[in-house]
Amino acid sequence: MDNASLTWITGYIWGIADDVLRDLYVRGKYRDVILPMTLLRRLDAVLEPRKQHVLQVKATLDELGIVDQDATLRDAAKQDFYNTSSYTLRDLRARAGRQQLRADFEAWLDGFSPNVQDILDNFEFRNQIPRLSRADALGTLIEKLTSPDINLGPGPVMNGDGGVKHASLDNHGMGSIFEELIRRFNEENNENGFKRWMSEVVFRRAYDQAGAP
């Protein structure tokens, strides 16, 4: 993906913060929602192609009474992480009720592998869910991050005629988007160079920990 496309994606995500969170958070707190949600959407997009296979393997392991499932499920996902909930993030777009969406979103989060759970805990992301749900902002965030207008996945999105609508987004490109978002959020907060560097290190470590391609 070229630099112009990366810049456009970064601007799109940056715009979500202003559109959805303006009346809920002070600007300095936008990143507490946008960065974890962007990361989660990336992980979800990476896992989508093998989702059903992972669920089938999970069901088989449960039937056999196998408790230690982590390595097998990683192998089924062909990643260093996985999700065993019955949903993808796209599935949650169809939820009409606020309470049902919150319950299903939390079930989706709970389905991630232990290494992703560690990331969620480190960013205290679950603390944001009640506020987002009460304001009906959670559904809007999901809608925008799973929109056909943007591709955060490692594979290309095709047009109906077989052409490429959105190019694939590799790990380097995704990392560049994260770094630019972190830089913008830190500038909004008037944080100095050391704090900006620390923010980038912490978030990139979380991204690398998940092993996302």
Side-chain angles (χ1 to χ4, degrees):
M1 187 174 288
D2 59 31
N3 288 334
S5 298
L6 294 177
T7 299
W8 185 88
I9 292 174
T10 303
Y12 178 95
I13 296 171
W14 181 257
I16 293 174
D18 251 350
D19 292 344
V20 182
L21 304 178
R22 181 183 306 163
D23 297 328
L24 289 178
Y25 294 83
V26 297
R27 292 181 68 89
K29 293 295 185 180
Y30 287 177
R31 65 181 176 189
D32 293 348
V33 173
I34 294 299
L35 292 177
M37 281 294 294
T38 302
L39 174 62
L40 287 166
R41 174 55 188 145
R42 170 64 175 187
L43 301 184
D44 181 69
V46 169
L47 293 174
E48 279 180 347
R50 296 186 63 83
K51 177 74 173 184
Q52 291 307 310
H53 179 64
V54 170
L55 295 181
Q56 290 167 5
V57 170
K58 169 67 173 170
T60 299
L61 293 172
D62 288 344
E63 288 176 7
L64 294 173
I66 297 174
V67 176
D68 188 3
Q69 302 181 357
D70 187 69
T72 304
L73 291 173
R74 290 181 188 223
D75 183 65
K78 301 299 182 188
Q79 304 294 338
D80 288 332
F81 60 98
Y82 52 86
N83 186 300
T84 58
S85 79
S86 58
Y87 313 119
T88 66
L89 199 56
R90 290 181 192 275
D91 294 332
L92 301 184
R93 295 175 62 177
R95 299 298 186 269
R98 182 171 56 189
Q99 293 302 318
Q100 188 62 53
L101 173 60
R102 175 178 172 177
D104 290 347
F105 181 75
E106 289 176 332
W108 175 73
L109 290 180
D110 291 342
F112 276 106
S113 49
N115 55 339
V116 178
Q117 298 301 330
D118 289 343
I119 294 170
L120 295 174
D121 290 344
N122 288 337
F123 286 100
E124 300 179 340
F125 176 65
R126 283 185 174 83
N127 294 344
Q128 311 301 329
I129 297 174
R131 177 185 288 190
L132 294 171
S133 178
R134 285 194 301 270
D136 277 338
L138 182 58
T140 306
L141 283 171
I142 293 171
E143 189 81 22
K144 288 180 176 293
L145 285 170
T146 59
S147 167
D149 294 333
I150 184 175
N151 178 29
L152 294 181
V157 175
M158 311 304 289
N159 287 317
D161 60 5
V164 176
K165 180 179 181 179
H166 297 299
S168 58
L169 180 58
D170 63 16
N171 196 42
H172 177 75
M174 192 71 239
S176 297
I177 290 170
F178 282 136
E179 288 173 1
E180 178 61 15
L181 287 171
I182 290 166
R183 185 190 68 79
R184 292 190 188 189
F185 283 125
N186 287 339
E187 285 188 353
E188 284 285 324
N189 292 338
N190 294 317
E191 292 182 345
N192 61 33
F194 177 73
K195 287 185 177 179
R196 286 198 298 270
W197 176 79
M198 284 300 296
S199 296
E200 291 175 10
V201 167
V202 169
F203 199 80
R204 282 307 298 268
R205 184 176 298 164
Y207 182 62
D208 293 341
Q209 179 182 346

